[in-house]
Every structure is written in C-alpha cells, then in structure tokens.
Amino acid sequence: MSNKKKKELVSASTIKSVILYLWLGFIAAILSFIIFIWAVSANFLGLFGDLPDFKALENPKSDLSSELYSADGVLLGKYFRENRTPVEYNQVSKNLVNALVATEDIRFEEHSGIDLQGMGRVLVKSLILRQSGAGGGSTLSQQTAKNLFKTRNLESQGTLSRVPGLRMLIIKTKEWIVATKLERSYTKNEILTLYLNTSEYGSNAYGIKTASTTFFGKEPNELNLQEAATLVGLFKAPSYYSPVYNPENSLRRRNTVLGQMMKYEFITPHQYDSIAQLPLELNYKVENHNLGTATYFREVVKSELLKWTRENLRPDGKPYNLFEDGLKVFTTIDSRLQNYAEQAVIEHMSDLQKTFEAEMGKRKPWIDSQGREIPNFLENAVKRTEAYRVLSNRYGAGSDSLKIKLNEKKKMRVFSYEFGEVDTLMSTMDSLEYYKKFLQPGFVSLDPSTGHIKAWVGGVNHKHFKYDHVRQGKRQPGSTFKPFVYAAAIENGYGPCYEVMDQPVEVNIPGQPTWSPKNADSKFTYEKMNIREAMARSVNSVTAFMMKKLSPQVVIETAHRLGITSQLDPVPALALGTSDVSIIEMVGAFGTFVNKGEHIVPFFIDRIEDKNGNVLQQFTPRKKPAMSEEHAYLMVYMLRGGLEETGGTSQGVPWSLRDEGNEIGGKTGTTQNASDGWYMGMTKDLVSGVWVGGDDRAIHFRSWIAGQGSRTARPIWVKFMQKVYEDESIGITKGPFPKPDRPLSIELDCSMYNRDSTTEFDFDSRSNDF
C-alpha cells in the first residue's frame, strides 16, 4: 500500500474519530446540561439551593402594604416595609406595556420564558465580540421570577453557589426553570402585571401603582408616553436613573426607552421627536407615616393591629403580618370630619401659639405655682430623650463629652406654623428648648349612638411631635369633671332645680386636710342658685357642697359606670377634676348622656379584610346600660345650661351654631395655674372633646384668664362644628336632643317650685356626711 493511501486512511480515521468525539462531547454536554438542570431543579444534596414549589408558583407572594380606609371609603394610609399595592392588567396604561416590551423583551409574546435568540445575541456580543452593553438576555418572565422568588438572595443559595463562576450559572438556571413554569401557570398579560407589581422603582416605591403615585401623582392607567417611559427607564437602575436625584440620567434613559418604542413602531418618529424634547415633569411625593390625613390616628390603629396580628392566624397556621399580607382595615373615621378637625386644630393653635409667645416674651414658660421659672428644667427634661440615652451610653452620663455633644450645633429641620419646616442650626438643647415652648392639642369626636370615633387629632404635627394626646395623654380635667358629680346627684334624687347657696364649704375627712375650695374668681355671692345654674357657671362651692352630700365613692362609682376607666382618687377635690383622665374616656362618658344612658365603649376599627376582600373580623360595639334614660336626659338638660343659663361658661359659642332650634351641651374646664384647658361639646349627632396644654404641666400661660379652656380649647370645637354644619354632604344637621319615650317624672321649669318649702340645705361645715 502506497504512502499516499496510508495517509488518506489515517486522515479519514482521524476525521471519524474527531466527529465521534464531537458527537460524544455534544451528547455528554446535552446529558450534563439535562442532569445539571435536574440537579438544580431538585436541589440535589442541597448543593444548589431551593426552588419555589408548584403551590408557590400558583400563588406567588410578594410583600403587600396593608391599607387603612375611612368609613367613607377614603384611603387614610398604609403600613408597609415595601410600599406596594397590586393592580390588574386592565388598570395599567397601554403606553406602559408598550414601553416595557419594547425596552425589556420585544419577543415576549413569542417565547415560552427563555429567549434563545436573545441569549445567543448576548453570548456573541459579550464573549466573541467583547462588546460592553450587550444586555443580560433575561426575558420578562425571568425577571418576574427573580422579583417574585428572590432567586439572587443568600437564602436561596446552596453550597455550590460559593464556587466562583458557578453562582451566576446556577442563578440563571433557576430563573430559566421558574420562568418556564410561570409561562405554563399564567397568561402573558398576567406575567406582565406580576412584573410591574413586583419591581422596585426607587424612592420607597414598590409596584407600578405606588410608583405612579409617587412620581406623578397618577394612577397607572393615566400615565402618558413620557411618564411611562420614565418609569420603565427605572428598571435598569432605580437610583442611577432616578428622575428626582439624577434628572439628567433619567431624561437620557427616558429618551432611550422612547427610541426603542420608535424602533419597534409603537410610536412614530414624529412622536419621538416631539416627546424627546419635553423636560421631566414630576409630581413627586413620597408616601410616609408622617404625611397625609389622620397621622396620629394611624399610629394608634397600628398598635392595635400589631396586637391583632399576633393573636390571629392565617390559614397556613402562621400569624398575620401587618407589613406583608395586604390587609384592608376599615375604620369608623369619616375623612371629611377628620379633615375639618385637623383644619380647626391648626387654625386655632397657630393663633394661640402667637398669643402664648407674646405673653411669654423672653421669659421661659416653665414656671412653678408662684410664677417663678423652674431651675434646671431643660437639664432634667433632656435626660428623658432618646438623644440623651444614646450619647450617655457612648460618652458616659455626666461626662464633659456628653455636655459638649448636647450643646453642639448641627443641621436640622424644625417645625413652625408659619413656614412649615425650617432648615436651621441647633444643638440638642436648643431644639429641646424650642419644642418645649409649643402648646399641644388633643381632639376626638364620637358618634354617641354607635360608639364610632369619627375624628382624631393627637397633636399639631406628627413628624415633630409624636406623642398622642387623645389616648396616651392623661391630664386633670378640671371643671369638665363636674358633670359626673351632678350625674350622681341626679341619680340620688337631686333635680336640676335643687337649690344651694353659693358660700364657702368645708369638707373634713379623717386623716385628710380640710378641703375648702374657692370659686374661680375667689368670690362668693351668698345667693341661692339651682344646680343647673351652678354647673352652667361652673361654681366650685356648689359642686363641693354636692360632693359633700354624696361622697367621693358615690361619684367615682358613677363616673366609672358612665365610661371613665382611669383610677380616680377618693378625695373631695375630685369634684373639681384632680384625677388624670384621657380625652377619649371623657368623650365616651359624655356620649352616655346623649345615648339615653347606654354606654358604648368608643372604638375605631370596623372590620379587617384579607387582600382578597374576605372579612377576617367584624368588630361590634361593647354596650352596657349605665343610667336610666330619664336621668341621662336630665344630664343633657343640665349641660345645655352652659349655653342657656345667664353667665354660662359656653355663652361664647356663636349664635350661628345655636340657630335653627339647635340644642348644644357644653362644659369648659381649666386646671389650677391654667396648665390644662378643656372643652366638651355635645350635639344630637356628635360628642367631641378638646384638650390644650403644654407637653409638661409646668408649661402654661402665666395668666389664668388667657389659659382657661374657653379660650384655649373651646374655639377648636367651635371651628370644627362650623365646618361640619356647612358641609351638607355629611348629613349632620342641627336640631334638638331626642327626648325620652316616657314623660319626665320631674318638672324642669324651676318657677313651678315653691323655693321656700322644697329646698333642703345643710351647710354645717363641721359635719361629715360620708
């Protein structure tokens, strides 16, 4: 055999061997790839990390904001870690869908989760041509898998993920597997919607609904072309292309998206040329817990809901999560009443603060009972702050470094009525002194017939003043407590026409000092007056006399039965409101009078639903009979005296609220040194309470006249009711209080009584009736 033939045989044999090896290599690669896919899918020996099971794919979970709604269907706020509210496909602008497909996955409708053509393009450009910006080749289905199941988190990684080069291959393989399963479980429109709902857009916006609201103040179906392109541009890098923090980058990226839409004929070249010249136009507002309506109320509800979630289980046996499960919470608050309450508070408090500062001048408002400035007030107050705790842990309590840091000036934004927020330089001590000078309000309004809280304002600004003065705050109610003394008197047979002389009264209890209160003006008229007139004028001597006739224990039992839950001290001075209570207790108790003697514990959550609208709990009022219908009506009649009797402390309520036959009950309250100003206002539809004072009891007007409740608290109630009556859509109207079904057993016309023969007096100051 010639050498030529031998060479030809060797060459043919070599080619066959190469072809054989190539086929074997190809088959081995295919088998290896199949085995690798199976191993990743099955998480073989735990080397690759878990994949979501079929049930999770059928019901993918992403964190959903829980939403808080008013009784009239207005969204009050949300509770979230990731601020996300899902939408349906038909709630999304077509502009948004076209921009997304043109930019992220133009063959979305053609592939089944994996775009082989796109992957080939990426491989050629990145590995062979070494081109940067070749793209990732991920389909929208793969990106949705990444968003939904966190395929790149450490929690989903296995042992082999630590091997360099393998980690990304394993991640991509997982995303391919999940993408193909998603394609079998969902329609294309559903996958698009899942992607838009699960993506991050920056500025604490998760999901397209929140992003649309955050950047443009619109719903997703209202987005125009340039707005849709701007949001789609954020998918590449939310921070780098943020229209707020990097507007030039965002504008450039927006136009790139528009270019893709033109390339694939979603828009015309003319449209592109026109829109690309437009500037970014934002309506930017990041949603947070300090903005919007009912900020204090939302925090109160939050604490209640956290307790509820710990005590209630989901169908899978795990507790509900307020920040992830997308609960829908429906409250009793009326958004219109809430807005009017907030407006009334700010309108009055801004004016009252000016009056307070004018009286204060350059003096400090923290004063003792003698009107003297309290020494070391701020030095003691700062020790109760979080800033002090942090600094003392770092530098040591009492150290020079601590004092230096407390007095070191730094940039901060502080609250002001006139400018909203002001950028300034202040130290911790400076800001403490600045904020301590602000008076604070608390306001709550109740529907007495249902127990529904309709409005709740816990302070002037939740961002800068976190303390809620409606439920957290408890202060002495002053003369607003007197109706409980008279309620006890009514129940014990003393009618509104029962007469007492306005003169000094001494009360002696063994082991206690003699109590002999003065009237507000320190004068006594030594004239007879009935107890309706006495309560209307807030005469201390008559209230003290009735307390002496009844005993503190009887008054305490009455107050607790009517709705007061705080501990009350069994001392005679209780008659003038010396025990601390909250506004919400007071409103609930006064509501008992209007509700014909039936007490309903005030509540503010109507029902809780899951994300699908299934009712998880319907809350029902807790009711109990507290006093007879006749006695309750007599107390309403007594409280009307503040507006109807000569010299009544509610005479300052304008006639515009009293016309058209409107009946109003009201009671002012002012504590010693005017540390606390109160007003309780009642109509047939609403019972409302107002408190005004300093965060610290030592902070108050120097003048008792300027700090009394008729000037500090009552104007808030007046402004609120004026706004309520002007809004006919609410359905709250003027009119009389409902009368008992049965005729009254006593005569309310005091002129019908023989004053000389029917009045009982016992003014022996030496006696003890307890």
Side-chain angles (χ1 to χ4, degrees):
M1 183 181 294
S2 66
N3 288 334
K4 183 177 180 180
K5 286 186 177 181
K6 287 181 179 181
K7 288 179 179 180
E8 288 177 350
L9 289 173
V10 170
S11 177
S13 176
T14 301
I15 291 171
K16 288 181 179 180
S17 297
V18 168
I19 292 172
L20 177 63
Y21 284 125
L22 286 173
W23 272 107
L24 289 174
F26 178 74
I27 293 171
I30 294 295
L31 290 174
S32 298
F33 183 72
I34 292 172
I35 293 172
F36 179 73
I37 295 293
W38 171 83
V40 171
S41 180
N43 188 22
F44 182 67
L45 299 179
L47 297 174
F48 302 95
D50 292 328
L51 275 173
D53 56 22
F54 181 78
K55 185 176 181 181
L57 290 171
E58 288 288 340
N59 299 282
K61 183 182 184 301
S62 58
D63 291 355
L64 300 180
S65 307
S66 291
E67 297 178 332
L68 192 71
Y69 288 93
S70 68
D72 54 327
V74 174
L75 179 64
L76 297 175
K78 301 177 184 178
Y79 304 107
F80 54 80
R81 291 194 187 94
E82 295 182 354
N83 188 6
R84 188 195 321 272
T85 302
V87 295
E88 302 293 335
Y89 181 80
N90 58 10
Q91 296 174 290
V92 176
S93 165
K94 191 64 177 177
N95 293 324
L96 193 67
V97 173
N98 292 341
L100 177 63
V101 170
T103 308
E104 299 291 331
D105 190 356
I106 191 60
R107 283 179 291 278
F108 176 68
E109 295 291 343
E110 302 169 13
H111 63 67
S112 297
I114 300 174
D115 183 7
L116 297 177
Q117 184 177 339
M119 290 174 60
R121 169 182 55 79
V122 172
L123 287 173
V124 170
K125 286 187 175 182
S126 58
L127 297 180
I128 300 175
L129 301 179
R130 300 289 182 179
Q131 292 181 358
S132 60
S138 292
T139 64
L140 282 174
S141 303
Q142 290 172 246
Q143 294 179 55
T144 302
K146 179 180 71 175
N147 290 347
L148 279 172
F149 304 108
K150 314 299 182 186
T151 54
R152 305 193 180 196
N153 285 4
L154 289 176
E155 292 80 1
S156 64
Q157 307 303 309
T159 305
L160 291 180
S161 298
R162 303 189 187 98
V163 179
L166 271 181
R167 178 176 179 273
M168 187 51 65
L169 177 60
I170 293 171
I171 287 173
K172 283 291 187 182
T173 303
K174 287 183 178 182
E175 290 174 2
W176 293 335
I177 294 170
V178 176
T180 56
K181 289 183 177 180
L182 284 176
E183 289 276 351
R184 292 198 297 268
S185 299
Y186 295 95
T187 67
K188 291 289 186 179
N189 288 350
E190 289 172 334
I191 292 174
L192 273 176
T193 308
L194 280 171
Y195 179 74
L196 290 170
N197 281 333
T198 56
S199 293
E200 179 184 356
Y201 298 78
S203 293
N204 201 30
Y206 295 83
I208 188 60
K209 181 177 176 65
T210 305
S212 300
T213 303
T214 298
F215 291 104
F216 301 109
K218 292 183 175 182
E219 294 295 316
N221 60 357
E222 299 172 337
L223 295 171
N224 59 32
L225 275 169
Q226 58 267 34
E227 292 164 346
T230 301
L231 293 181
V232 168
L234 291 169
F235 295 139
K236 188 173 180 68
S239 297
Y240 185 76
Y241 292 111
S242 169
V244 177
Y245 302 108
N246 292 296
E248 293 182 358
N249 296 348
S250 178
L251 184 63
R252 187 171 63 252
R253 179 63 181 167
R254 181 201 72 179
N255 289 346
T256 298
V257 173
L258 291 170
Q260 289 293 105
M261 295 181 74
M262 179 184 68
K263 175 181 177 181
Y264 295 113
E265 299 182 350
F266 290 111
I267 61 174
T268 65
H270 176 72
Q271 284 178 295
Y272 173 81
D273 292 338
S274 300
I275 298 173
Q277 301 303 314
L278 296 175
L280 291 173
E281 294 182 357
L282 303 177
N283 183 7
Y284 181 68
K285 186 177 181 181
V286 176
E287 187 173 356
N288 66 58
H289 302 301
N290 293 316
L291 298 176
T293 304
T295 48
Y296 287 92
F297 175 73
R298 280 149 45 188
E299 282 300 303
V300 171
V301 176
K302 176 183 172 182
S303 65
E304 293 294 322
L305 292 174
L306 287 173
K307 179 182 178 182
W308 184 88
T309 56
R310 290 192 296 268
E311 297 172 350
N312 291 269
L313 302 179
R314 299 185 312 212
D316 61 4
K318 297 179 181 179
Y320 282 98
N321 190 309
L322 178 63
F323 307 105
E324 298 177 0
D325 289 340
L327 302 176
K328 296 186 185 300
V329 183
F330 295 86
T331 71
T332 63
I333 290 287
D334 186 295
S335 67
R336 297 160 296 182
L337 295 178
Q338 179 67 31
N339 286 328
Y340 294 147
E342 293 179 4
Q343 292 168 19
V345 164
I346 292 300
E347 287 172 11
H348 175 64
M349 291 305 297
S350 59
D351 292 335
L352 185 66
Q353 188 67 32
K354 293 176 184 176
T355 304
F356 184 56
E357 291 173 358
E359 187 204 62
M360 180 172 38
K362 294 183 179 180
R363 298 173 298 181
K364 308 300 184 186
W366 34 89
I367 53 179
D368 60 20
S369 59
Q370 304 302 316
R372 298 170 299 196
E373 181 184 335
I374 299 174
N376 301 318
F377 177 84
L378 290 177
E379 287 74 12
N380 292 326
V382 76
K383 294 177 182 178
R384 300 190 293 268
T385 65
E386 179 66 15
Y388 182 89
R389 187 189 66 80
V390 172
L391 290 173
S392 62
N393 287 340
R394 182 180 301 176
Y395 299 106
S399 67
D400 291 338
S401 297
L402 173 61
K403 294 177 183 177
I404 291 171
K405 286 295 182 181
L406 288 174
N407 289 281
E408 182 179 79
K409 295 189 182 297
K410 48 188 175 289
K411 291 182 179 180
M412 63 175 65
R413 305 191 80 188
V414 297
F415 168 78
S416 75
Y417 282 108
E418 187 174 0
F419 304 107
E421 284 189 325
V422 178
D423 292 313
T424 186
L425 284 173
M426 279 189 181
S427 67
T428 298
M429 295 302 294
D430 292 336
S431 65
L432 180 64
E433 179 175 1
Y434 176 78
Y435 281 126
K436 281 292 183 182
K437 293 179 178 178
F438 278 88
L439 295 177
Q440 290 294 329
F443 176 94
V444 67
S445 189
L446 170 82
D447 179 343
S449 64
T450 62
H452 290 176
I453 295 293
K454 309 307 292 185
W456 182 305
V457 185
V460 293
N461 184 282
H462 186 260
K463 179 177 180 181
H464 296 279
F465 305 97
K466 298 294 186 186
Y467 193 78
D468 172 62
H469 291 282
V470 171
R471 194 163 70 166
Q472 278 183 292
K474 290 189 175 185
R475 298 290 275 267
Q476 293 180 348
S479 292
T480 54
F481 191 84
K482 289 178 181 177
F484 302 118
V485 178
Y486 290 106
I490 292 290
E491 289 188 314
N492 281 275
Y494 299 95
C497 295
Y498 178 77
E499 290 187 339
V500 179
M501 185 174 289
D502 174 22
Q503 65 179 7
V505 176
E506 286 187 1
V507 181
N508 295 289
I509 297 180
Q512 295 186 19
T514 298
W515 180 63
S516 182
K518 297 180 180 180
N519 287 331
D521 59 2
S522 299
K523 299 177 182 179
F524 299 96
T525 64
Y526 295 92
E527 295 178 354
K528 298 175 183 178
M529 62 180 71
N530 62 53
I531 60 175
R532 186 179 193 246
E533 293 171 328
M535 193 175 81
R537 300 174 193 171
S538 205
V539 179
N540 291 344
S541 64
V542 177
T543 311
F545 175 77
M546 297 310 301
M547 173 64 94
K548 184 175 181 178
K549 296 286 287 183
L550 296 162
S551 84
Q553 288 79 7
V554 170
V555 172
I556 288 172
E557 188 279 328
T558 301
H560 282 161
R561 179 163 29 88
L562 291 170
I564 298 298
T565 56
S566 294
Q567 179 178 337
L568 302 174
D569 296 327
V571 296
L574 175 66
L576 306 186
T578 55
S579 292
D580 290 354
V581 296
S582 67
I583 309 173
I584 197 167
E585 290 176 75
M586 293 290 284
V587 166
F590 273 64
T592 304
F593 299 140
V594 182
N595 196 38
K596 300 182 178 182
E598 182 178 57
H599 175 64
I600 304 178
V601 178
F603 68 107
F604 42 77
I605 300 177
D606 177 61
R607 69 185 186 279
I608 301 174
E609 298 179 356
D610 65 15
K611 64 181 180 181
N612 298 315
N614 299 310
V615 176
L616 302 176
Q617 183 166 348
Q618 178 74 54
F619 292 83
T620 56
R622 290 182 289 161
K623 304 178 180 181
K624 66 175 183 179
M627 69 189 317
S628 72
E629 185 177 358
E630 177 173 303
H631 290 157
Y633 181 77
L634 291 177
M635 279 309 302
V636 170
Y637 176 71
M638 292 277 289
L639 284 159
R640 284 166 47 195
L643 292 91
E644 297 173 2
E645 294 285 352
T646 301
T649 58
S650 293
Q651 283 289 337
V653 173
W655 284 106
S656 61
L657 291 180
R658 300 196 243 172
D659 59 4
E660 302 176 31
N662 199 29
E663 291 182 348
I664 296 174
K667 187 72 193 76
T668 57
T670 311
T671 55
Q672 192 174 17
N673 294 329
S675 294
D676 306 274
W678 291 74
Y679 190 72
M680 305 298 298
M682 301 163 31
T683 67
K684 64 181 179 64
D685 296 314
L686 293 174
V687 174
S688 307
V690 190
W691 168 88
V692 173
D695 270 334
D696 192 288
R697 296 173 199 261
I699 299 169
H700 52 81
F701 281 92
R702 290 174 180 265
S703 162
W704 189 88
I705 298 298
Q708 60 185 307
S710 61
R711 298 192 179 190
T712 62
R714 190 179 66 201
I716 291 176
W717 180 84
V718 169
K719 289 177 179 289
F720 170 71
M721 292 306 300
Q722 286 173 331
K723 296 175 188 292
V724 170
Y725 283 138
E726 288 171 1
D727 188 345
E728 296 180 358
S729 69
I730 299 175
I732 292 177
T733 58
K734 296 178 179 179
F737 289 102
K739 293 183 178 181
D741 295 332
R742 294 181 180 180
L744 296 178
S745 63
I746 64 172
E747 177 60 58
L748 297 182
D749 184 355
C750 298
S751 66
M752 300 293 292
Y753 291 91
N754 183 335
R755 297 168 68 96
D756 294 327
S757 62
T758 60
T759 305
E760 174 187 350
F761 299 101
D762 179 3
F763 297 119
D764 184 357
S765 61
R766 293 170 297 177
S767 67
N768 189 334
D769 293 334
F770 299 142

